[in-house]
Amino acid sequence: MSRNSTNWNSWNANSAMALLGIGIGMGIGVGGDLYALADGLAGCSEAVCAVLTSGGFDLFAEVVASGPRELLDFVNDVIRPIEGVRQVQSLPDIGIHTHRFLRDVG
């Protein structure tokens, strides 16, 4: 899953950032390996954060790409083809209002 693109440390005004909601299952016995997906995303320079969750999505990933086209390519060429991925919703960042961690997350 590794690709050569922009990461959080090289974000600039032309970068495209989005929160991806990723669903891997849509019923009993349907879906992929959530931990394998999260591990695979950890190897992608575009993915700056991956959070396992419950509810409408199984995983949220914060991604940064060098531009809107590269973000689209990442979603279509990297995320969608992963075995078990059933749904991807992209929520583009318009602007960062606050970004901080208030507790030890390690």
Side-chain angles (χ1 to χ4, degrees):
M1 264 201 250
S2 182
R3 289 173 49 110
N4 186 11
S5 187
T6 306
N7 65 31
W8 185 261
N9 295 324
S10 61
W11 182 86
N12 63 57
N14 297 319
S15 297
M17 297 171 43
L19 178 67
L20 301 181
I22 302 171
I24 62 168
M26 295 179 72
I28 296 173
V30 178
D33 183 342
L34 180 60
Y35 294 102
L37 173 59
D39 289 341
L41 283 173
C44 295
S45 62
E46 293 90 346
V48 297
C49 181
V51 179
L52 307 179
T53 187
S54 62
F57 296 104
D58 300 299
L59 185 137
F60 285 115
E62 184 73 27
V63 298
V64 179
S66 58
R69 178 56 193 226
E70 290 76 16
L71 177 61
L72 177 64
D73 290 346
F74 179 73
V75 171
N76 285 332
D77 299 343
V78 176
I79 302 297
R80 290 188 193 280
I82 297 170
E83 185 176 344
V85 169
R86 303 285 183 249
Q87 175 186 17
V88 180
Q89 183 173 349
S90 177
L91 305 163
D93 291 5
I94 303 302
I96 298 173
H97 180 70
T98 303
H99 186 238
R100 64 176 164 229
F101 292 105
L102 300 176
R103 60 189 169 116
D104 182 14
V105 294

